[in-house]
């Protein structure tokens, strides 16, 4: 701008000198030699060339600055979209919709072309620029390159994160299916025998052993199921983060919360039966052992009572025998209550 001002002043000054030159040529033509006349004639042309060149340089510089500022604005917007946590107004995140991811990719590719164009244009300007101006242009291009690299790295990081999250989602889906299959097999392998259908201690032992095996399998599988739930919780948070950045998520992944809810209900339904039946059979088995002990003791008691009755005269007091029988009946009732 300073140079443009100087050129404009020279043009004005030349206009003033033109009248003086013509006056000298008219009054003292002998005072103007050929060389002077030729140099004078070249001045307007050379000055005009300088003016045109300077005007072009200013226009080019203005064009570069406009392009430079436009690129910076786009890069700032892309940076804010790739880093939603840095947005000053969190409500802006709600404007990012699923499907914007492709648009962001296109914008990044377009801005890369713009950065290359600005870089090439600056090289043209730098050739004729003064040292101070040249350093300023170089610093602007450096800033553009570094800013673009930063945004590009953010985009690559987000793309990598997306790949990792979707890979984890596929793993979770596979494990959900395997768990569902395991629950179906567990349900099929769970004995349907009612307690009333068990006829003897051997059958009780066999079915109790079967349920004990199933219970141990449930306990082993429950460790993996808890891990799967924890993994699913982390995955859902990561998928929500992807959505805030405009990443498109397949519908099969958005159904994960419902799948986990259904599977948890299914898990409780199937395994609760195994645990409850195992506990009941353990209780019955324990009570059966107590009953056997009771029977052994009562067999001896009945033998003594039989001997006592046999050795008692016909007219003997029956009150003692009735008392003994009442005690035995009372014990039997207690046992029946315990085994209900």
């Amino acid at each position: 701008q300073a140079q443009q001002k100087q050129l404009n002043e020279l043009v004005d000054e030349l206009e003033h000198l033109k009248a003086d030159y013509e006056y000298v040529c008219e009054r003292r033509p002998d005072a103007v030699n050929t060389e002077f006349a030729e140099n004078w004639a070249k001045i307007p042309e050379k000055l005009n060339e300088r003016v045109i060149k300077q005007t072009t340089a200013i226009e080019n510089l203005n064009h570069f600055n406009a392009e430079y500022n436009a690129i910076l604005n786009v890069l700032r917007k892309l940076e804010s979209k790739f880093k939603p946590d840095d947005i000053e107004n969190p409500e802006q995140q709600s404007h990012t919709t699923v499907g914007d991811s492709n648009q962001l990719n296109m914008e990044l590719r377009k801005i890369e072309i713009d950065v290359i164009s600005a870089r090439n244009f600056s090289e043209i300007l730098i050739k004729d620029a003064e040292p101070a101006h040249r350093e300023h242009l170089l610093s602007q291009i450096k800033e553009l390159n570094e800013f673009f690299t930063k945004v590009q790295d953010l985009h690559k990081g987000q793309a990598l994160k997306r790949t990792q999250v979707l890979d984890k989602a596929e793993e979770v889906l596979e494990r959900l299916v395997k768990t569902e299959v395991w629950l179906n097999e567990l349900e099929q392998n769970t004995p349907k025998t009612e307690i009333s259908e068990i006829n003897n201690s051997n059958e009780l032992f066999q079915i109790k052993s079967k349920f004990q095996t199933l219970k141990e399998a449930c306990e082993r599988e429950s460790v993996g199921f808890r891990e799967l739930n924890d993994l699913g919780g982390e995955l859902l948070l990561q998928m929500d983060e992807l959505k805030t950045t405009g990443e498109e998520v397949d519908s099969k992944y958005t159904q994960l919360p419902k799948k986990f809810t259904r599977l948890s209900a299914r898990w409780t339904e199937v395994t609760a039966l195994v645990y409850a039946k195992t506990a009941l059979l353990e209780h019955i088995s324990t009570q059966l052992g107590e009953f056997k002990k009771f029977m052994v003791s009562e067999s001896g008691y009945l033998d003594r009572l039989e001997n006592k009755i046999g050795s008692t005269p016909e007219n003997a007091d029956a009150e003692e025998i009735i008392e003994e029988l009442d005690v035995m009946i009372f014990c039997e009732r207690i046992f029946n209550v315990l085994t209900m």
Side-chain angles (χ1 to χ4, degrees):
Q1 291 179 351
Q3 289 182 355
Q4 183 69 25
K5 182 179 179 181
Q6 291 177 356
L7 288 172
N8 292 335
E9 290 175 352
L10 287 174
V11 171
D12 293 338
E13 187 176 352
L14 181 63
E15 286 297 322
H16 289 99
L17 289 175
K18 184 177 180 180
D20 295 336
Y21 175 75
E22 291 177 350
Y23 177 81
V24 172
C25 289
E26 182 180 349
R27 298 299 179 90
R28 292 286 308 275
D30 57 313
V32 180
N33 58 35
T34 303
E35 183 179 359
F36 182 82
E38 290 177 354
N39 289 334
W40 174 264
K42 292 178 180 178
I43 289 176
E45 182 181 354
K46 289 183 177 180
L47 189 58
N48 187 53
E49 290 177 356
R50 288 290 302 274
V51 170
I52 294 174
K53 184 176 181 180
Q54 186 66 24
T55 302
T56 303
I58 292 175
E59 291 176 352
N60 288 339
L61 181 60
N62 290 337
H63 175 75
F64 172 80
N65 286 331
E67 187 175 358
Y68 167 82
N69 291 325
I71 292 173
L72 283 182
N73 288 333
V74 173
L75 286 174
R76 291 190 186 102
K77 290 179 181 178
L78 289 174
E79 181 186 34
S80 68
K81 290 180 179 179
F82 291 142
K83 295 174 62 177
D85 293 340
D86 293 341
I87 297 179
E88 294 182 2
N89 182 9
E91 294 180 358
Q92 293 179 2
Q93 296 183 22
S94 62
H95 300 303
T96 304
T97 59
V98 175
D100 282 348
S101 178
N102 292 334
Q103 181 66 28
L104 292 177
N105 293 335
M106 292 175 61
E107 288 183 17
L108 188 62
R109 287 194 292 269
K110 181 180 180 301
I111 206 64
E112 181 179 12
I113 296 174
D114 291 341
V115 169
I116 295 173
S117 175
R119 186 190 308 151
N120 294 336
F121 192 31
S122 70
E123 292 175 357
I124 297 174
L125 298 178
I126 288 172
K127 290 179 181 179
D128 299 325
E130 295 181 356
H133 188 208
R134 183 183 299 112
E135 291 300 321
H136 180 66
L137 286 171
L138 289 172
S139 67
Q140 285 181 302
I141 289 301
K142 181 181 179 183
E143 181 181 7
L144 278 185
N145 289 333
E146 291 177 350
F147 200 176
F148 174 75
T149 300
K150 177 183 177 183
V151 173
Q152 191 176 47
D153 289 342
L154 287 173
H155 176 257
K156 290 179 180 178
Q158 182 177 314
L160 177 60
K161 183 177 181 180
R162 170 186 169 82
T163 300
Q164 292 173 340
V165 169
L166 295 186
D167 287 345
K168 185 183 292 186
E170 284 295 334
E171 177 190 350
V172 169
L173 284 173
E174 291 178 5
R175 291 182 63 176
L176 285 173
V177 172
K178 289 181 180 179
T179 303
E180 180 70 29
V181 171
W182 182 85
L183 285 172
N184 291 338
E185 292 177 350
L186 176 65
E187 186 177 44
Q188 292 174 1
N189 294 330
T190 300
K192 306 302 187 291
T193 306
E194 298 292 339
I195 299 298
S196 59
E197 297 175 354
I198 301 175
N199 298 315
N200 52 58
S201 59
N202 287 334
E203 291 182 3
L204 175 63
F205 176 78
Q206 291 176 0
I207 193 171
K208 187 190 76 167
S209 299
K210 177 66 174 178
F211 270 97
Q212 182 62 34
T213 301
L214 295 177
K215 176 188 174 184
E216 292 172 357
C218 289
E219 291 172 343
R220 288 193 302 270
E221 193 69 19
S222 64
V223 176
F225 187 62
R226 284 194 296 270
E227 292 176 352
L228 179 58
N229 275 283
D230 292 341
L231 183 62
E234 295 175 2
L235 175 63
L236 293 178
L237 290 176
Q238 292 172 344
M239 290 177 65
D240 287 340
E241 291 178 5
L242 282 182
K243 293 177 183 178
T244 62
T245 58
E247 287 289 346
E248 186 176 357
V249 179
D250 193 281
S251 59
K252 69 177 181 178
Y253 301 130
T254 60
Q255 296 298 316
L256 278 173
K258 292 183 180 180
K259 290 180 180 294
F260 269 103
T261 300
R262 288 196 297 267
L263 186 63
S264 295
R266 176 76 171 144
W267 177 276
T268 301
E269 175 189 3
V270 177
T271 60
L273 176 62
V274 173
Y275 287 123
K277 202 68 172 287
T278 303
L280 177 60
L281 291 171
E282 285 287 351
H283 176 71
I284 293 175
S285 180
T286 300
Q287 294 302 316
L288 181 60
E290 294 296 326
F291 178 72
K292 288 181 178 179
K293 293 180 182 178
F294 173 77
M295 290 300 295
V296 170
S297 63
E298 290 307 310
S299 295
Y301 174 81
L302 290 173
D303 289 342
R304 292 194 302 275
L305 182 60
E306 182 182 11
N307 293 333
K308 191 170 188 179
I309 292 174
S311 61
T312 302
E314 292 182 0
N315 297 329
D317 187 2
E319 182 178 349
E320 182 178 356
I321 297 174
I322 293 173
E323 182 179 347
E324 295 284 354
L325 289 173
D326 287 341
V327 170
M328 184 180 69
I329 293 172
F330 177 72
C331 290
E332 183 179 3
R333 285 176 178 174
I334 290 177
F335 176 79
N336 289 334
V337 170
L338 290 175
T339 54
M340 287 181 63

